[in-house]
Amino acid sequence: MASTEARRECETEGCSKDAKLQCPTCIKLGIQGSYFCSQECFKGSWVSHKLLHKKAKCSVLCVLSEEDKNQNESQNCVENDINTDPWPGYRYTGKLHPHYPLTPMRHVPGDIQRPDYADHPRGISESEQFLKGTSQIKILCPEDIEGMRVVCKLAREVLDIAAEMVKVGVTTEEIDHAVHLACTARKCYPSPLNYYNFPKSCCTSVNEVICHGIPDRRLLQEGDILNVDITVYHNGFHGDLNETFYIGEVDEEAKKLVQTTYECLMQSIDSVKPGIRYRELGNIIQKHAQANGFSVVRSYCGHGIHRLFHTAPNVPHYAKNKAVGVMKPGHVFTIEPMICEGGWQDETWPDGWTAVTRDGKRSAQFEHTLLVTETGCEILTRRMEDNGRAHFLNQM
């Protein structure tokens, strides 16, 4: 007996129009639903919607039977119980490989306040999903602004502790452990932990990894560059920042890439003030990156942040983007440009998270959380020491 096609509504929050357009990636991955009434609604929901793709890709990896795993085990590169080829047949874009197995997800004491996704079986933030697709930017009240100042100061303290760990021979797993302990010691929940099932307390991105690298057992090597991305949750607010570090002595090309990326961030911050369109930030960033021979990642962007980890506005870092919104006092958001030696195109490892350059060349990133003030902006995650300068400037 044939079934009758039910009326489908657009999945963008606040839109109840008939929907006939279905996300092509969801069709390939077998994700049910994902219907939208127009390209505009689809694009407006993209930041939260694409997380479903990552989750589905990760689930696909788990369907290998135990027999298949045993058959593949002898073919994998395993040394001292470290597997550097957990996805047989996958072609890496560069020299970096994961070092599995990962350690189990770390415990957060029960007396620490948790975001809504912390105990969700799929790590879904219901509060973010409720506002999915909206372009309305929240203006924070004085009490919320103070909450953001506190959490961003704590996030900065945690990143500074991670910075002390960064050296040749240390694993990113060890950095993650230190980050986790630093968070819980400050009564903070490490925001990445279980966010859409992300397995660790921070992101560590080495060399060709653009962002969302998962800490593992690989030893940091002389000449690497490493980004550590920290977000903490405290008293109902998230604070987010990251920096890129040199590992030992690095080549001149790496120094130029990291320096330029930092300059892209700071030049864009200089322009933040009421009345500036969010889309203008990408013009500033891409102009400086291209002038130095680099490209700007397009798939990932800055974002609004406060009681929600990710929310409006979207802040693309490339030129001629179509970001919606004008800066107003009380807006809080991140700028976090990802700048590449080669092309800007990316792909994702089969873990569903690790974004790498398609050509295998290196990428660097810096991030601050910013508050728009009446006359400019306040860098909420600014370093307290060394006049606010990033750590890599002391490594030169």
Side-chain angles (χ1 to χ4, degrees):
M1 179 182 291
S3 64
T4 303
E5 184 176 8
R7 177 179 179 270
R8 296 186 176 92
E9 288 187 357
C10 181
E11 294 188 15
T12 298
E13 178 66 26
C15 180
S16 58
K17 296 180 181 178
D18 288 348
K20 295 184 179 180
L21 300 178
Q22 189 175 16
C23 172
T25 303
C26 287
I27 294 173
K28 292 179 183 178
L29 295 174
I31 299 173
Q32 299 298 312
S34 302
Y35 285 89
F36 299 88
C37 68
S38 65
Q39 288 290 342
E40 288 70 25
C41 274
F42 180 52
K43 292 176 182 177
S45 301
W46 177 244
V47 171
S48 58
H49 179 74
K50 67 181 179 182
L51 294 174
L52 297 176
H53 301 163
K54 291 185 176 183
K55 175 63 178 174
K57 290 176 183 177
C58 189
S59 298
V60 168
L61 299 175
C62 299
V63 302
L64 283 174
S65 67
E66 288 301 318
E67 181 180 352
D68 291 331
K69 290 179 182 178
N70 292 334
Q71 289 176 351
N72 287 326
E73 188 172 35
S74 63
Q75 301 172 10
N76 294 344
C77 179
V78 180
E79 183 177 354
N80 297 327
D81 296 324
I82 294 178
N83 182 356
T84 58
D85 189 16
W87 313 302
Y90 177 71
R91 297 182 63 181
Y92 296 90
T93 65
K95 295 180 179 180
L96 189 74
H97 283 222
H99 282 52
Y100 275 35
L102 300 178
T103 56
M105 195 174 288
R106 302 188 191 282
H107 171 72
V108 177
D111 63 338
I112 293 177
Q113 184 179 358
R114 311 160 82 83
D116 63 351
Y117 55 83
D119 299 307
H120 192 285
R122 290 182 291 157
I124 293 174
S125 170
E126 299 290 353
S127 55
E128 288 187 6
Q129 289 295 313
F130 181 76
L131 293 174
K132 182 175 66 173
T134 183
S135 59
Q136 183 174 352
I137 305 169
K138 183 175 181 179
I139 296 176
L140 272 60
C141 65
E143 292 78 11
D144 286 356
I145 289 173
E146 187 55 33
M148 287 300 299
R149 287 193 175 110
V150 170
V151 73
C152 287
K153 179 177 181 294
L154 293 169
R156 165 49 69 180
E157 290 176 5
V158 173
L159 180 61
D160 290 346
I161 287 171
E164 296 174 3
M165 297 282 296
V166 174
K167 59 184 177 182
V168 174
V170 172
T171 67
T172 50
E173 164 64 32
E174 290 171 320
I175 294 172
D176 180 76
H177 190 197
V179 164
H180 188 88
L181 293 176
C183 288
T184 57
R186 290 162 175 76
K187 298 298 181 183
C188 294
Y189 182 93
S191 300
L193 189 65
N194 201 46
Y195 184 70
Y196 291 89
N197 290 154
F198 188 82
K200 295 294 181 179
S201 297
C202 67
C203 300
T204 53
S205 301
V206 180
N207 296 339
E208 67 264 29
V209 179
I210 295 169
C211 60
H212 303 160
I214 298 175
D216 64 16
R217 303 182 183 197
R218 178 185 179 274
L219 299 173
L220 292 173
Q221 300 174 9
E222 187 89 13
D224 285 343
I225 60 173
L226 166 72
N227 180 272
V228 180
D229 195 336
I230 301 293
T231 314
V232 307
Y233 181 76
H234 181 78
N235 280 352
F237 297 94
H238 298 272
D240 193 2
L241 76 160
N242 72 56
E243 291 191 19
T244 298
F245 302 87
Y246 301 142
I247 309 302
E249 292 295 324
V250 301
D251 58 45
E252 291 302 316
E253 291 79 6
K255 291 179 181 178
K256 183 180 179 183
L257 173 65
V258 173
Q259 178 73 41
T260 299
T261 306
Y262 181 63
E263 290 168 355
C264 284
L265 172 64
M266 300 312 294
Q267 288 184 20
S268 62
I269 289 175
D270 287 342
S271 72
V272 173
K273 62 181 179 180
I276 298 296
R277 295 183 181 276
Y278 283 100
R279 68 182 63 170
E280 288 299 323
L281 298 174
N283 297 332
I284 295 167
I285 291 167
Q286 183 164 320
K287 180 179 180 181
H288 189 65
Q290 286 189 338
N292 286 276
F294 301 125
S295 64
V296 182
V297 170
R298 293 170 171 255
S299 297
Y300 301 92
C301 60
H303 52 90
I305 184 170
H306 37 75
R307 292 186 181 275
L308 301 180
F309 193 171
H310 297 93
T311 188
N314 289 336
V315 186
H317 304 113
Y318 57 91
K320 298 180 181 179
N321 66 77
K322 300 185 184 301
V324 175
V326 176
M327 296 176 196
K328 296 179 181 179
H331 285 183
V332 176
F333 64 97
T334 71
I335 305 177
E336 44 188 299
M338 290 143 275
I339 308 301
C340 302
E341 282 184 316
W344 56 264
Q345 294 85 354
D346 65 277
E347 66 176 64
T348 305
W349 278 2
D351 59 20
W353 282 103
T354 307
V356 294
T357 56
R358 191 175 296 173
D359 57 16
K361 295 187 178 180
R362 292 173 293 194
S363 180
Q365 183 185 19
F366 287 88
E367 175 185 19
H368 274 306
T369 296
L370 310 167
L371 165 68
V372 182
T373 65
E374 295 290 342
T375 58
C377 79
E378 179 181 341
I379 304 176
L380 298 178
T381 46
R382 183 177 184 270
R383 189 179 173 204
M384 294 296 101
E385 295 78 26
D386 200 18
N387 199 31
R389 295 177 359 130
H391 287 276
F392 85 96
L393 293 167
N394 293 326
Q395 295 180 295
M396 297 177 68

